[in-house]
Amino acid sequence: MTARRNRLDPATLAAQALGTVDAETGAVVPPMHSSTTFARGADYRLVGDHLYSRDSGPTVRRAEEIVAALDGGADARLFASGMAAFAALLEALPEGAHVLAPKSMYYAAQDWLIRQAWRGRIELDLFDQTRPEALSAALRPGRTALVWIETPANPTWDVVDIALAAEAAHSAGARLAVDSTCAPPPTTRPLELGADIVFHSATKYLNGHSDLTAGALIPARDDELWAQIHKIRTATGGVLGGFEAWLLIRGMRTLHVRFARQSETALALARHLERHPRVVEVLYPGLARHPGHAIARRQMTGGFGGMLSILLDGDVESARRVAASTRVFVPATSLGGVESLIEHRRSVESPQSPVPDTLIRISVGLEAPGDLIDDLDQALAAA
Ligand SMILES: *Cc1c(COP(=O)(O)O)cnc(C)c1O
């Protein structure tokens, strides 16, 4: 299977869930194993590769093999949510490790970083990830253990040059981890650009159907840190369940076609909104005027994604009204699913959040583009 895997395009591997037909039954869909425990044979050796499901199981393992292949990693581990994966990575760092993370990033992950720093578990510095010189200035050669970046980053969709960040991190002896949730493998493969670890909230594009939470870590190398991460998952029980892994496999089979369509519709929407009189600014890396567009063209080779934000004229109340006035877009948090979502982002972050009052975040789904455009037009007119 490995030889076959190496020659095929990731889109093919995803569509066929790595292309294995069940040897026993001929089923073209991988089976779902829910067993928590795995038997031993007459010699008291385990019959298969698994012992107990808190450590690993066949369906989770299959999903992990697919995720590893999609990102071109040495391995992959799946967790019960993105945050469980993120927490395991932090837990694997040595006591007091120096960590760098963006000033503007996924809110809950930054909140957890700040808590860990407050407890003294890590030493944290936040930097402006849109300025490469800010990363260089924040790095402490020989001291910094981990640089965390997110690209494109919530909710402004700033784009970070992964290759440049990897070079800077490595020159200081640090690892680079990339939150690539909003740039999944059909468009960006951070390990090929020099990153050491890729993170996905698989809740979002990888699964794509808003029906499970999952997190993925994918390493460039199977090293000591990686072994530690697996140990932490086994010890703390953050592993993904068998049924969720099975659903995730099903979701990933359509990842490439979903992402391409979502990117196409998002670009059409961004271009439409750019000309709308009530819209002050459209934040989307696919627009030529977006500050990250040049990097995005190099780094997001399969589309600019389905996430965009708009800044409205007016105040916080009128922005909230727009987000509540849609009929096709569902007013809800999260992203990357088949249904389009709209959110007044400030309302779901903390009072200290740097997100502008009038920012509305949009996750584009698979509906007819015309319906989405009409819906936003009527919501903007109504509010
Ligand atoms: C959702 C999200 C996370 C957290 O993942 P969960 O699956 O919700 O735990 C992290 N980073 C980004 C960019 C996200 O969108």
Side-chain angles (χ1 to χ4, degrees):
M1 193 167 78
T2 309
R4 192 168 163 237
R5 199 187 289 182
N6 289 342
R7 270 184 282 114
L8 294 173
D9 191 289
T12 306
L13 299 174
Q16 298 201 347
L18 292 187
T20 40
V21 171
D22 186 46
E24 227 170 278
T25 62
V28 301
V29 174
M32 200 281 281
H33 291 282
S34 58
S35 190
T36 54
T37 190
F38 299 88
R40 295 172 183 277
D43 56 1
Y44 212 65
R45 295 230 170 95
L46 289 165
V47 174
D49 298 333
H50 307 281
L51 167 74
Y52 183 57
S53 65
R54 179 154 43 73
D55 181 54
S56 70
T59 310
V60 175
R61 201 60 193 139
R62 166 66 70 88
E64 287 169 348
E65 284 169 3
I66 298 169
V67 171
L70 288 179
D71 258 311
D75 194 4
R77 291 287 170 193
L78 286 165
F79 295 76
S81 70
M83 287 306 295
F86 183 64
L89 170 61
L90 291 189
E91 184 68 26
L93 298 177
E95 204 61 34
H98 183 232
V99 175
L100 291 177
K103 279 188 177 148
S104 177
M105 62 180 276
Y106 181 73
Y107 167 71
Q110 189 184 69
D111 190 56
W112 189 244
L113 279 166
I114 291 169
R115 276 168 200 270
Q116 298 315 299
W118 181 76
R119 286 180 53 208
R121 250 294 291 151
I122 58 167
E123 212 181 319
L124 176 68
D125 279 308
L126 301 178
F127 69 105
D128 177 356
Q129 63 170 357
T130 62
R131 291 172 46 239
E133 61 280 14
L135 171 55
S136 300
L139 279 163
R140 292 193 221 150
R143 285 267 301 111
T144 308
L146 185 77
V147 177
W148 178 268
I149 60 172
E150 181 184 326
T151 181
N154 263 284
T156 49
W157 319 113
D158 292 332
V159 182
V160 187
D161 188 325
I162 296 171
L164 207 62
E167 212 177 291
H170 296 161
S171 74
R175 287 170 210 260
L176 179 73
V178 180
D179 183 341
S180 207
T181 298
C182 294
T187 199
T188 302
R189 303 207 328 156
L191 299 178
E192 287 173 358
L193 300 168
D196 302 288
I197 295 180
V198 180
F199 165 93
H200 294 285
S201 166
T203 311
K204 317 294 169 55
Y205 285 104
L206 293 191
N207 182 55
H209 292 74
S210 310
D211 53 8
L212 62 87
T213 62
L217 292 173
I218 304 102
R221 292 168 305 280
D222 184 356
D223 59 9
E224 188 45 46
L225 182 78
W226 185 244
Q228 196 60 30
I229 286 170
H230 183 204
K231 268 195 204 112
I232 289 164
R233 191 186 70 171
T234 300
T236 59
V239 68
L240 190 65
F243 178 59
E244 282 75 11
W246 183 83
L247 269 181
L248 176 59
I249 292 171
R250 181 187 169 129
M252 287 192 292
R253 297 181 81 159
T254 55
L255 170 63
H256 287 74
V257 65
R258 281 188 282 107
F259 189 77
R261 162 77 175 219
Q262 285 163 310
S263 295
E264 209 178 292
T265 306
L267 184 60
L269 221 58
R271 289 193 172 136
H272 176 78
L273 291 165
E274 245 186 336
R275 297 188 303 268
H276 198 286
R278 285 217 49 204
V279 175
V280 177
E281 185 84 69
V282 180
L283 305 170
Y284 185 64
L287 295 177
R289 54 200 291 260
H290 188 275
H293 183 64
I295 305 164
R297 283 177 66 114
R298 267 186 277 128
Q299 194 170 282
M300 300 180 79
T301 52
F304 299 107
M307 296 307 297
L308 61 135
S309 296
I310 51 179
L311 298 175
L312 299 178
D313 71 351
D315 58 10
V316 63
E317 284 311 319
S318 64
R320 245 186 234 136
R321 270 201 308 279
V322 170
S325 303
T326 54
R327 295 169 192 151
V328 179
F329 282 87
V330 181
T333 195
S334 198
L335 61 98
V338 295
E339 63 289 302
S340 293
L341 303 177
I342 189 163
E343 175 174 60
H344 180 252
R345 189 65 195 171
R346 184 82 211 232
S347 299
V348 300
E349 297 199 358
S350 79
Q352 296 86 40
S353 156
V355 172
D357 276 347
T358 67
L359 184 142
I360 288 183
R361 191 181 89 166
I362 289 170
S363 170
V364 174
L366 297 181
E367 301 90 342
D371 285 342
L372 296 177
I373 289 175
D374 290 349
D375 190 38
L376 281 179
D377 281 351
Q378 72 75 27
L380 286 164

